Amino acid sequence: MLSDSAGRRDLLLMGASLALAAAGCDGPDEHGHPLPARARGQAAEAASFATVLDLEGLGRGVLARTRAGHAVKLEGNPQHPASLGATDLFAEAAVLSLYDPERSRRIRHAGAPCPAAELDAALAAVRPALLASQGRGLRLLTGPVASPTLARLIAELLAACPEARWHQHDPLADDAALAGALAAFGEPVAVLPDLARAQAVLCLGADPLGPGPAQARQARDWSRGRRAGRAAGRLPRLFVAEASPSLTGARADRRIPLHPAEAEEFARAVAAALGLPGLARGGTHPEAAGIAAALREAGPAGLVLAGRGQPPAVHALAQAINQALGAPGTALRLTAPPLARPEPMAASLAALTAAMAAGAVTHLLVLGANPVAEAPAALGFAAALRRVEFTLHAGPWLDETAERCRWHVPLPHPLEAWGDSRAFCGTPAIRQPVTRPLAEAARGEAELLGALLGTPLPAREAVAATWRAAWGEAGFEARWEAALEAGIAGDPAPAIAPALRPDWDRPGETGPAPAGLVAHFAPDPGLGTEARNAWLQEMPRPLTGLAWGNAALLDPLTAATLGLAPGDEAELTLDGRTVLAACWPLPGQAPGCVTLPLGGDRQAGGAVGSGRGFDANRLRSADGAWMAPGLRVRATGRRAALVSTGAPHRPDTGGAVPRLRPGETLPPVAPGASLHPAWAYEGRAWAMAIDLDACIGCNACALACQAENNVPVVGPEELARGRGMHWLRVDRYDAPAPEPAAASFQPVPCMHCEQAPCEPVCPVNATVHDQEGLNVMVHARCVGTRTCSNNCPYKVRRFNWNDHRPALDTPRRNPEVPLRPRGVMEKCTYCSHRITAARTQAGLEGRALRDGEVETACQRACPTQAITFGDLNAPGSAVAALRQDGRGYALLGHLGTRPRTTYLAPVVPAAPA
Amino acid sequence: MSLSTAPIVAATLRPGNWAFRLALLLALAGVAVLAGAVAALLAFGIGIWGNNIPHVWGFDLIAYAWWIGIANAASLFAAVLVLRRHGLRTAVNRFAEAVALAAVLAAALYPILHLGRPWLFAWTIPYPATTRLWPQFGSPLVWDFWGIMAHVVVTSLFWFIGLIPDLATLRDRAATEGRLALARAYGIFALGWRGSVRHWHRHQAAYRLVAALVLPLLLSAQTVVALEFATTLVPAWHQAWLPVQVVVTGLPSGLGVVLAMAAVLRLALSLQRFIDDADMDLLARLLACAALAAGAAYAHALLTGLVLEDAETRAALAARIVGAGAPAHWGAVLLAVLLPQLLWRRGLRRRAAVVIPVGLLAAAGVWLDRWSLVVDGLLRERLPFPAVPYAPSPAEWALLGGSAALFAAALLLFGRAIPVVAIFEIRHEETLAEAAEEER
């Protein structure tokens, strides 16, 4: 009963493994071009490379672990400021895209594969004409560019062709932030919050803990701030006013569901309460006085962040308040933006589209962007594209834009290419290939630009040339090697101190809040550019529980008024544009505001990404506005194909997460009574402690676990049947009234109970206890009665309902973790293979294991270091200390299971602030 | 009055009529569906079923517990008749035993087929394997292996020992008719029975001994099934009274099926004189009684579960009984407890058109009760784990229908190959009647 799509995907993945078996069984030594990168591992067999991956154009440092030349797993680079050793969803998932069997592998002309020589000939043919006309009619469209090399080459191209124009497009770009910075300072400025030092933070639609290029770093800082605050008895305060629930909002002390039309009024009310000088107009809001008092009390440690979708005036207000608080230097740092050329990207694309439609564009190069799918449909980019004579698209996939361009060139995956990048804070890093290219015909952007410039250089030489120019010839090689070794190539951008312009406050047009519903567009992790990644598609979104698609998010009251139950289909109409979408009531959503996640229903998204959810771009206005009034929602009476992993509202009926007030403690974790004799643990006793006060629900742990342990993707049909295979799930519990919006997240791996209920019920001894307290699953012994799952009160055991091995047996699989056959149980092992590896290493070195030497995959990924793993019996181990913490508790401890995984309860404010 | 055993023997030895052939054809078609469902299961795995986490068990365990319940009630009935030397045994205990045996065979499918890797089922059997690994004797699933094995062995013995004198009769009749091959076949299973007094003496001793063995078995098999649930930490299952509840609520299904079978046989094989109105009357009242007992068990569950237990258990049982699980639970109460109460009316219990549907619906009611236990027992777990409701797939329906067809086919073939009522018991009654006449 395999579904069509599942079967098709399996076939594709199997095909890929065959192709790779033919091409890729050799190590990196036999690379097409040699790797100068120094391996971090002990041997080439198991090497690690420091490199960098981009998100929204900004880099996050990773260490890529390879096995026999194949990239297997990505982890954070502790030296990189955007990672500090942690990862995010996208970094974890990137390695799967490397092996995507649907990646573009051939250069194409008019849709048909053609030899590379034809492309070279075509580029050589257009070059003289373009140079002669000074590049008139030549346009270059890229994503946001922070790469110094790419910026240099583009600058060279523009210098050679002064009439040519460069445009950038990013569907998630926040143009209003740029406009706000220009209004406040007259120059583009990047705001880098320091959440470790901030004592009072107000987020106006900002989501510093949510998905983005700085998520791992900001989440780390935030958790450090909370840790220090708990120790000092004075927790930093976090206020969030937002339209749609976010990860930051979930962890806020006070969360205010705010209609988008009220955002400016709210910000003005806070500014007025603070007595901000230069304020053109005040405002009122009942919450403003309390928040302003907290900010004033915090002083320089106070911080206001305005987020994506806020009007420029709100961004300017936030900048002005921060200046008034004296926050720069304490709670935040202002720097020059990391992007090579900050610009309003919606306007940039609109200008390009207009020029194309007017016939002013003869040659268009689209490098690493997909505007046909990602720009608002109302812009008419696809139609304008037809008027361009020479179109070339370079991208990793044969996507919607590729299908409409004359030429298509496959881009290499970042893990197989040379390049460079800047982090959100401006820190540069060099990208190096960690594996031989899986698509031989792929060419990087730098190579294409070089070919167009007539200075064709291999990508490595192009990058080296950039840095040779920056560093000088003297000692270059040593510096280059050091940069590759460390994964960073310099320091963060220096702080700047721009002066606030006297006329910073330019109020937006005022008026009563528009009647009816407001459309609020939002990014959706897992869709959009990442839509082809099955790991991301299948990872339930933390706040909705939806996977393999998206839904229009409404507040429960509005949904009830419209007669929409969770999963009902509705017809959404905005300015005459119509789309059908599933609806999902979301507690905490601002009334009157419908959130429309971008990036669904891709037309050319491949077997994994096509047709998932609905495409909000069909509603979005041509100017790329993040919100639009006048949305009409009508129930169609049909049900939509929506895959959800739970109800919209999830109260904590089982007492899973006790919420402590500051200073409160829980009774110590004590072993409950048991009829079974207790085990003696003479040697090590592995245990895990998960700090729920630090957990932000980002799912990085769950995805890291999936990558590390060869956990299969089951597809939407199976997931909807309740057969997801994630070994680690992140439960969400909504706070009880009167704070219905804030939530607690609880990662639930195997508890490795000392009195494990699963063990005595297994008839064949397939799940047993080992001498170090691991609850071990012996796959080879399992006959599949599933009774262990029945008796697991935590429901962390997963059953192989189908045979997932064919889809998993690719070069991506972690060879240290076996694949499980059909009909057996599996579950979290505490990464026992990592324990074994560490023990072996310690044995080879003739020493004892050190505390913290064994890091589980989930622990390594966690941006907030919420997960601690170690030996309970080791004196002074971190996990043993956390067992003694006053916030510690065992989940369902009253059952007497004596779990080895324990939790630390979250701390909530004493009274609603 | 004299009862001749000739029609019983004739029913066995003569070729079947068109109705029989049609019924057998239908049953065999159902068995073919079963074979297809089993083949698909082995080829594609349990993924073709509707199970998930937490609903790791569904139709498999429901059907298992249900068939065991039918087998148990039917053998309990037969054994009680033998042990009490009750007059009714002449008529109905033979096919009560047959119903029990066929139901055990249908039940025995599931412990193997429900495994993720059924070909490794032998690992639940204790034998000195080269792995030097023994089963985990603490697991109720291992107890279950013993439970079902004991049930198969004792039920077969009970049925076979009761059959020996009749097999000898059939051997003799076939020999008289000159059908020597058939006579030899019956002769092998008659174990050289010659009908001597010593034979009769030992036969009676053995028959009653095995009948006595059946009694603890009834408790053990159903109890072990119940323990598979009761020993878990699932709040709606973790109940000391669950075994009693499962044994008692299983009775109406077996008695209902025996009653319906008796009514059908009476009509189909013209055995009204051997299974007379008094027999039917008694059987029907037994069913009504068992239904009352089941009602008492439900009342007990309501009281203890919803009033006396801790909050977690109360919430779980409330979900099962009055929450989302209400349809299955109250459907079971209606069909297995309330409907059989009709049979207290003499007029109704004499009519085949009443007892056949009431008997079968009582069995259906017990099936709903097993659904309520296996599926709706998981409505409330310890943690609010985001569970997807269990929905059986066509493959599971095919397996359920197929096992019912296997049951029917076994009974039909049984009706053709061996006497449906015990000839020797009827002869015994004849002798008693003659002796009484002589005394007069």
Side-chain angles (χ1 to χ4, degrees), chain A residues 1 645-646 651 653-654 656 720-723 729 733 757 759-765 779-787 789-791 793-795 797-799 801-802 821-824 891-892 894-895, chain B residues 41-54 56-57 60 114-117 119-120 123-124 131 133-136 138-142 231-234 237 312 378 381-386 388:
Chain A
M1 305 235 159
T645 54
T653 52
R721 270 186 208 129
R723 293 178 178 178
R729 68 171 194 272
Y733 293 110
E759 290 170 14
V761 296
C762 174
V764 295
N765 278 311
H779 304 127
R781 179 68 180 171
C782 179
V783 298
T785 68
R786 312 186 289 292
T787 184
S789 172
N790 260 338
N791 210 21
Y794 310 100
K795 290 291 172 276
R797 294 181 151 262
R798 301 287 173 262
F799 186 70
W801 303 101
N802 299 301
R822 190 188 85 200
V824 307
L891 184 60
L892 299 179
H894 64 280
L895 298 179
Chain B
L41 182 66
L42 294 180
F44 301 116
I46 293 183
I48 63 173
W49 290 359
N51 301 77
N52 59 24
I53 304 280
V56 293
W57 293 341
D60 46 358
H114 100 286
L115 296 179
R117 301 199 287 177
W119 48 91
L120 300 177
W123 288 356
T124 58
T131 55
L133 203 57
W134 291 89
Q136 229 264 84
S139 165
L141 274 77
V142 170
T231 56
T232 66
L233 286 169
V234 176
W237 291 350
E312 218 169 357
L378 296 176
E381 287 270 10
R382 301 272 173 188
L383 291 175
F385 178 78
V388 177

Side-chain angles (χ1 to χ4, degrees), chain A residues 448-478:
Chain A
L448 284 170
L449 287 172
L452 204 62
L453 281 164
T455 54
L457 268 183
R460 181 185 185 280
E461 307 313 321
V463 177
T466 308
W467 293 98
R468 207 180 293 272
W471 292 337
E473 196 60 58
F476 171 76
E477 284 304 328

Side-chain angles (χ1 to χ4, degrees), chain A residues 306-632:
Chain A
R308 187 184 278 136
Q310 300 296 318
V314 172
H315 283 277
L317 275 162
Q319 303 275 23
I321 295 175
N322 288 335
Q323 292 290 323
L325 291 170
T330 305
L332 66 82
R333 198 153 57 91
L334 297 178
T335 67
L339 292 187
R341 192 184 80 186
E343 63 176 329
M345 295 194 187
S348 180
L349 187 69
L352 172 64
T353 313
M356 282 157 58
V361 181
T362 55
H363 294 74
L364 176 67
L365 268 61
V366 183
L367 301 184
N370 182 13
V372 172
E374 292 175 350
L379 188 62
F381 184 87
L385 192 60
R386 282 198 288 270
R387 300 209 53 188
V388 183
E389 192 183 311
F390 180 95
T391 50
L392 182 146
H393 171 259
W397 287 286
L398 209 59
D399 56 25
E400 292 84 348
T401 306
E403 285 175 352
R404 288 167 176 80
C405 285
R406 283 264 299 283
W407 288 92
H408 166 74
V409 183
L411 278 183
H413 189 276
L415 291 176
E416 52 187 20
W418 285 97
D420 51 12
S421 172
R422 279 188 194 281
F424 75 103
C425 57
T427 306
I430 291 167
R431 174 180 308 131
Q432 60 177 330
V434 305
T435 176
R436 59 184 289 167
L438 302 179
E440 300 280 347
R443 295 207 188 175
E445 292 108 322
E447 289 161 290
L448 284 170
L449 287 172
L452 204 62
L453 281 164
T455 54
L457 268 183
R460 181 185 185 280
E461 307 313 321
V463 177
T466 308
W467 293 98
R468 207 180 293 272
W471 292 337
E473 196 60 58
F476 171 76
E477 284 304 328
R479 213 167 161 185
W480 173 260
E481 294 279 313
L484 290 182
E485 177 80 20
I488 50 172
D491 295 322
I496 55 174
L500 199 63
R501 290 162 60 116
D503 61 340
W504 63 268
D505 194 8
R506 298 166 196 168
E509 69 269 32
T510 55
L517 296 171
V518 167
H520 171 245
F521 298 93
D524 186 4
L527 290 178
T529 49
E530 305 292 337
R532 288 171 184 265
N533 194 301
W535 285 351
L536 289 173
Q537 285 274 9
E538 190 153 302
M539 187 55 64
R541 313 291 181 268
L543 292 158
T544 58
L546 302 179
W548 288 103
N550 58 7
L553 311 175
L554 303 89
D555 72 290
L557 213 66
T558 307
T561 315
L562 293 165
L564 290 165
D568 279 356
E569 191 190 64
E571 187 188 70
L572 310 177
T573 310
L574 186 68
D575 294 340
R577 301 181 292 271
T578 294
V579 73
L580 293 176
C583 287
W584 193 254
L586 190 59
Q589 175 85 0
C593 162
V594 182
T595 296
L596 306 173
L598 292 167
D601 196 15
R602 289 279 304 276
Q603 301 303 307
V608 171
S610 290
R612 308 287 177 200
F614 74 101
D615 185 5
N617 267 330
R618 286 195 221 146
L619 289 183
R620 208 173 175 190
S621 62
D623 61 0
W626 286 97
M627 45 203 91
L631 181 74
R632 287 205 309 279

Side-chain angles (χ1 to χ4, degrees), chain A residues 109-298:
Chain A
H109 181 237
C114 75
E118 277 186 36
L119 174 72
D120 293 333
L123 288 178
V126 298
R127 207 167 67 84
L130 283 176
L131 288 176
S133 69
Q134 301 225 317
R136 181 181 301 276
L138 172 64
R139 300 291 175 117
L140 185 63
L141 177 64
T142 64
V145 171
S147 155
T149 297
L150 214 50
R152 173 178 68 81
L153 291 170
I154 291 172
E156 283 178 22
L157 182 69
L158 294 180
C161 305
E163 296 283 314
R165 291 288 173 269
W166 170 34
H167 303 269
Q168 296 178 86
H169 173 241
D170 177 9
L172 306 184
D174 189 4
D175 295 340
L178 181 64
L182 289 173
F185 303 116
E187 60 181 302
V189 163
V191 178
L192 309 182
D194 186 349
L195 298 177
R197 294 171 78 185
Q199 288 301 313
V201 180
L202 167 62
C203 292
L204 299 166
D207 188 13
L209 305 183
Q215 178 188 27
R217 172 57 183 269
Q218 286 167 354
R220 169 73 59 86
D221 287 348
W222 170 83
S223 70
R224 274 174 53 211
R226 274 191 85 78
R227 212 158 278 164
R230 275 199 313 271
R234 192 174 176 284
L235 276 171
R237 303 174 73 185
L238 177 61
F239 306 92
V240 175
E242 62 187 359
S244 196
S246 68
L247 292 183
T248 311
R251 297 308 318 275
D253 298 319
R254 181 87 186 95
R255 182 184 176 277
I256 302 153
L258 194 67
H259 191 282
E262 296 169 11
E264 187 172 337
E265 177 76 6
F266 179 84
R268 289 190 177 283
V270 175
L274 278 168
L276 198 64
L279 196 61
R281 199 180 72 232
T284 51
H285 193 279
E287 304 274 359
I291 294 171
L295 287 172
R296 190 181 301 116
E297 188 192 342

